[in-house]
Amino acid sequence: MKGTWLRTLELETPFAVFSDVHGNLPGLEAIVDDIEQRAIPATISLGDLVGYGPAPNEVALLVRDRGIPSLMGNYDQGIGFESGDCGCVYKTDEQRAEGAASLAWTQEVVTSEVKAYLRSLEDHFTLKTPAGELLAVHGSPRRINEYLFEDRPASAMERLARDYPYPAIFFGHTHVPYARPLGETTFVNVGSGGRPKDGDWRVCYAIVSPEKLGTQGFVEFVRVPYDYERLQRELAATPLITSFTPPD
């Protein structure tokens, strides 16, 4: 990937990263409020703004209008280009039914303005930081919809690090956060800002302190409670059958 044209963002201070909001407006609003309260100067999104949740237009426009640089997720790609495919992988009949209902409804309700915005999103960012150039993607550096789960064999991740030799690679897509140093590269999954899948109902984002690369202080995962009841009311007003982890 190095040697190809990528949009570069200059991030000299700690920054926030979220991904996979998936139409959960209360979740995104809670994250944005938390970031503002912490006075973090910069925020980026790794994509999948739409899909599954009841507020795809509102989420996309909030990110756009606040000037938050965002990558294109696989769901953004499918809806923006009206491909009829979200690039999702389903393991159960329940997931397949949720996905079919989500794709059909989201494709119908997302406005032409928002579809144009989704089509304009980037595939990758390079992040110019005090720790050097870091890489941000949605799924993996290879494919927008590749799942990099934490239990992937170290040998496979080390090959990926050799092919994309950045000090850190940030991504989402699996909805499960982790930071995993392997050789000269730290792999950081920032979790989901809308639909976590790790058993914690609270939305998740990461605060990155690039000057602390190589230490435990490099990435802090932040869990934020949000108005779950509001989300459920908004969901009930649609034909969506999406499940969101309820509060304990």
Side-chain angles (χ1 to χ4, degrees):
M1 183 171 299
K2 284 192 172 182
T4 63
W5 184 87
L6 300 175
R7 180 180 175 186
T8 299
L9 304 176
E10 294 196 10
L11 300 167
E12 297 296 326
T13 58
F15 57 94
V17 192
F18 65 81
S19 188
D20 297 276
V21 175
H22 282 296
N24 181 347
L25 185 60
L28 177 59
E29 289 175 341
I31 285 176
V32 168
D33 288 347
D34 194 78
I35 291 169
E36 289 181 346
Q37 290 172 15
R38 294 170 184 262
I40 300 169
T43 303
I44 64 173
S45 160
L46 304 186
D48 268 6
L49 304 175
V50 305
Y52 293 106
N57 292 307
E58 294 84 351
V59 163
L61 292 175
L62 188 156
V63 171
R64 185 197 70 178
D65 294 348
R66 284 181 172 262
I68 298 171
S70 183
L71 295 177
M72 179 188 294
N74 53 289
Y75 224 113
D76 305 324
Q77 183 181 65
I79 297 300
F81 289 97
E82 300 183 334
S83 67
D85 181 9
C86 65
C88 307
V89 175
Y90 306 120
K91 295 182 178 180
T92 67
D93 290 341
E94 180 183 21
Q95 290 176 352
R96 193 168 291 105
E98 282 184 343
S102 170
L103 185 61
W105 182 81
T106 306
Q107 187 71 73
E108 179 182 354
V109 302
V110 169
T111 66
S112 58
E113 176 187 8
V114 168
K115 287 176 182 176
Y117 167 65
L118 297 177
R119 291 194 299 271
S120 77
L121 299 179
E122 312 278 351
D123 290 327
H124 308 82
F125 292 143
T126 53
L127 312 177
K128 188 176 180 180
T129 78
E133 277 196 356
L134 315 180
L135 180 65
V137 297
H138 177 68
S140 86
R142 291 185 293 222
R143 294 195 308 278
I144 194 171
N145 67 336
E146 181 178 10
Y147 293 88
L148 295 182
F149 291 106
E150 187 174 12
D151 62 357
R152 176 170 286 209
S155 58
M157 299 293 273
E158 288 165 352
R159 284 196 299 272
L160 191 61
R162 287 195 297 270
D163 291 340
Y164 302 93
Y166 292 85
I169 299 175
F170 300 93
F171 52 98
H173 192 48
T174 72
H175 299 209
V176 178
Y178 68 86
R180 186 181 182 190
L182 281 169
E184 300 299 315
T185 298
T186 298
F187 291 88
V188 181
N189 190 315
V190 302
S192 175
R195 196 175 177 226
K197 295 183 178 178
D198 60 349
D200 188 332
W201 73 279
R202 299 170 300 171
V203 290
C204 183
Y205 74 96
I207 299 173
V208 180
S209 300
E211 75 281 3
K212 297 180 180 178
L213 179 66
T215 74
Q216 288 189 340
F218 177 52
V219 178
E220 175 189 357
F221 295 110
V222 181
R223 304 307 291 244
V224 186
Y226 68 95
D227 192 341
Y228 180 85
E229 296 303 323
R230 175 184 158 201
L231 174 68
Q232 291 303 306
R233 289 194 301 271
E234 294 174 354
L235 200 63
T238 75
L240 295 169
I241 55 173
T242 309
S243 62
F244 290 82
T245 302
D248 295 336

